[in-house]
Amino acid sequence: MNYQYWHPKMETLPRADLEAWQLARLKDTAAYALRTPFYKERLTRAGIREADDIKSLEDLKRIPFTTKHDLRDAFPYGMLSVPRDEVIRLHASSGTTGTPTTIYFNREDIRRWSGFVARCIYGTGCNKSDVFQNMITYGLFTGGLGFHAGGEEVGMLVIPSGAGNTTRQFKLMQDFGTTVVHATPSFLLHVESRMKEEGVSRDSLRLKRAFAGAEPYSEDTRRRIEELLGIDVYNSYGLSEMNGPGVAFECQAKNGLHLWEDGYIAEIIDPETLEPVPEGETGELVLTILCREATPILRYRTRDISGFSTGPCPCGRTHRRIRRITGRTDDMLIINGVNLFPSQIEEVIMGIKEAGNNYLIVVEKDGSLDRLTVKTEIGPDIFMDDSRPLNALREKIRKTLQASITINPKVELHEKGALPVSEGKAKRVQDNRPKEV
Ligand code: DLL
């Protein structure tokens, strides 16, 4: 494989140099953080009154974690560390679960962010001859503008199609010969299942690659999208608190996501004890941003569950890789005392080829017990009026799920297109149990 690097020197920097870079950048970031009342108080209490009080990367551990709660408390301007006039953009989380969190960027911050996204895109083998259709939400969400800028930086022809409207997406793909798309994995699956109805054949498209992220998905889902569309799918990870996309990305070796350590310091902790887990073990990802002046965030608890991949990557990059994120610590369902992550269900469904591309997990109370129902669309080769294959599929899903999750779910099969589709992040779980107070 001929691996290509956007920033060859930085992407293959020896570890010692990378750590020296991180230390210098951590000091810069702390200097900006000390300008905000929130961090001034926190850092001073940790014995860091000025940036030079940080002598080594180990000193990071003296700084307390930052949580989503802290960012909300600081809304709207409490985390801003440069004069308002220097800020040229903001992005915000949707705020559907409470006060939104806002991140500010100055010109340099935007430039650096675009550079990281360009690095991700280029590392998958794209170049300026590509036509890139960005099928993700623009606006306050970082996925649209983040990838847009990265794509332009690489020099690709960027089509800012945004999410939704599959008919128009197909038209754009055909008119302009789109070679690369970016979307959530659930939207990619939806696009694929609409192809037949829209009379679009795979051969009428010139697609080669897709970037898929913004929500968890399994290796089986990746494989399904790759096989159905005949393309390469690359996993893309990021979060708005850390700019958005461009934090970690798969290279062409596709064995873990390189986390750009010149832009971020990553730690994996045990979410209960808050201590670091042994190297390679799974835990909660904690990130410190090193590439943003206007909103520095130190030791942010992402709630995302992952771990470092071990061993070097054949691509030659020195930046450590994290494993595919399986979910969030706050995603976990407890069904009659058994812990369950939605990703475990997804893995089973996507591994059964007769099952369709969409599913929904419903949890309800049945007396004092919890009841789990998994609603699944059927694949194109099965018909709702043909009861034998239908019953066989239902039983196959039920048995495989039971063996995997040790809970016996009810399985409901639905016609293709019957379950709700989201243009952005998929809402896979409906927990209808009364909330405990
Ligand atoms: O989703 C940024 C983004 C846009 C990433 C486009 C990739 C592509 P938020 O809306 O703040 O930002 O949501 C961040 O989404 O903490 C994870 O829980 C989840 N997430 C993002 N990427 C992945 C991924 C954007 N590849 C939250 N795998 C994160 C699993 C992901 N989960």
Side-chain angles (χ1 to χ4, degrees):
M1 175 88 62
N2 202 5
Y3 296 107
Q4 61 181 33
Y5 313 114
W6 180 248
H7 193 331
K9 180 157 183 255
M10 188 50 95
E11 290 175 49
T12 59
L13 203 64
R15 295 284 320 167
D17 297 344
L18 194 49
E19 283 168 19
W21 169 280
Q22 285 190 317
L23 179 59
R25 272 293 158 82
L26 179 60
K27 287 174 149 193
D28 289 350
T29 306
Y32 279 101
L34 281 162
R35 298 182 188 178
T36 67
F38 172 78
Y39 277 120
K40 187 165 180 68
E41 201 262 328
R42 285 240 167 148
L43 292 177
T44 312
R45 257 199 291 146
I48 300 168
R49 279 178 192 80
E50 53 179 26
D52 279 339
D53 288 333
I54 298 177
K55 308 274 186 227
S56 77
L57 286 177
E58 274 302 299
D59 286 335
L60 179 67
K61 304 222 161 58
R62 288 159 55 191
I63 302 171
F65 296 107
T66 303
T67 62
K68 185 119 191 153
H69 200 79
D70 295 325
L71 300 186
R72 284 194 179 131
D73 283 351
F75 182 83
Y77 283 120
M79 291 278 187
L80 180 62
S81 56
V82 298
R84 220 305 280 120
D85 290 7
E86 260 187 43
V87 176
I88 62 164
R89 171 122 49 99
L90 68 77
H91 280 282
S93 69
S94 62
T96 43
T97 53
T99 316
T101 54
T102 323
I103 302 297
Y104 302 94
F105 299 80
N106 66 16
R107 198 171 298 281
E108 181 60 13
D109 296 339
I110 294 284
R111 195 190 62 78
R112 287 187 186 153
W113 179 24
S114 311
F116 280 107
V117 180
R119 193 191 286 188
C120 299
I121 293 175
Y122 196 72
T124 67
C126 292
N127 58 43
K128 60 185 184 174
S129 69
D130 279 294
V131 178
F132 171 45
Q133 195 162 317
N134 198 13
M135 308 196 295
I136 211 152
T137 312
Y138 278 64
L140 289 173
F141 178 60
T142 53
L145 285 172
F147 263 89
H148 186 101
E152 284 188 350
E153 182 86 14
V154 169
M156 307 195 289
L157 165 55
V158 183
I159 308 177
S161 61
N165 199 341
T166 44
T167 312
R168 196 187 52 179
Q169 301 285 4
F170 289 130
K171 178 97 173 52
L172 291 167
M173 285 181 201
Q174 288 171 326
D175 286 349
F176 301 107
T178 300
T179 56
V180 194
V181 290
H182 170 218
T184 55
S186 49
F187 189 63
L188 286 173
L189 284 169
H190 174 64
V191 164
E192 193 282 326
S193 50
R194 297 281 309 159
M195 281 173 73
K196 219 184 208 161
E197 284 145 66
E198 304 261 354
V200 177
S201 74
R202 214 168 95 170
D203 296 342
S204 70
L205 304 177
R206 297 183 51 201
L207 281 187
K208 286 188 295 203
R209 295 185 186 85
F211 313 131
E215 63 187 14
Y217 62 114
S218 62
E219 198 52 50
D220 285 308
T221 298
R222 183 231 293 272
R223 216 166 299 129
R224 177 180 281 238
I225 302 170
E226 290 191 327
E227 281 165 14
L228 289 172
L229 289 172
I231 59 173
D232 274 314
V233 174
Y234 292 92
N235 195 354
S236 147
Y237 170 76
L239 59 163
S240 36
E241 295 80 1
M242 295 287 131
N243 282 355
V247 175
F249 220 85
E250 284 178 324
C251 67
Q252 285 176 294
K254 289 189 194 159
N255 65 347
L257 296 87
H258 289 280
L259 193 137
W260 302 122
E261 292 181 274
D262 53 325
Y264 303 90
I265 298 178
E267 302 167 73
I268 305 276
I269 62 162
D270 176 328
E272 301 285 322
T273 64
L274 307 184
E275 290 300 321
V277 300
E279 185 72 22
E281 286 190 12
T282 300
E284 179 183 340
L285 179 65
V286 170
L287 291 171
T288 296
I289 191 160
L290 304 175
C291 56
R292 195 172 56 210
E293 294 172 354
T295 321
I297 298 183
L298 306 165
R299 301 194 90 197
Y300 183 67
R301 289 191 60 182
T302 65
R303 304 269 168 201
D304 291 324
I305 303 164
S306 183
F308 289 117
S309 303
T310 47
C313 183
C315 76
R317 289 180 177 84
T318 49
H319 298 240
R320 281 189 293 180
R321 286 157 294 144
I322 53 166
R323 294 192 292 272
R324 180 180 285 283
I325 279 130
T326 47
R328 298 173 53 81
T329 52
D330 43 11
D331 255 4
M332 192 178 78
L333 293 163
I334 303 180
I335 314 269
N336 298 324
V338 178
N339 296 351
L340 171 71
F341 283 98
S343 59
Q344 293 172 272
I345 294 183
E346 189 211 67
E347 214 171 306
V348 167
I349 293 171
M350 291 299 146
I352 297 179
K353 67 176 189 327
E354 303 91 324
N357 286 350
N358 200 2
Y359 67 94
L360 184 68
I361 301 163
V362 182
V363 192
E364 283 154 325
K365 262 296 182 223
D366 186 5
S368 60
L369 290 180
D370 299 322
R371 194 177 57 202
L372 172 70
T373 306
V374 178
K375 302 185 176 189
T376 315
E377 287 185 10
I378 51 174
D381 303 327
I382 295 195
F383 300 95
M384 278 317 257
D385 48 9
D386 201 351
S387 66
R388 269 186 59 193
L390 214 56
N391 290 337
L393 174 60
R394 190 180 301 111
E395 200 45 24
K396 185 171 177 181
I397 298 177
R398 193 192 63 74
K399 274 199 180 138
T400 325
L401 276 172
Q402 190 175 15
S404 156
I405 63 177
T406 70
I407 298 169
N408 188 10
K410 187 174 162 210
V411 174
E412 269 181 23
L413 295 181
H414 292 259
E415 194 102 50
K416 196 166 132 181
L419 295 176
V421 185
S422 161
E423 293 173 359
K425 296 178 196 257
K427 292 179 191 63
R428 298 289 194 197
V429 180
Q430 260 178 24
D431 194 340
N432 299 332
R433 292 175 291 187
K435 296 266 170 298
E436 283 180 29
V437 270

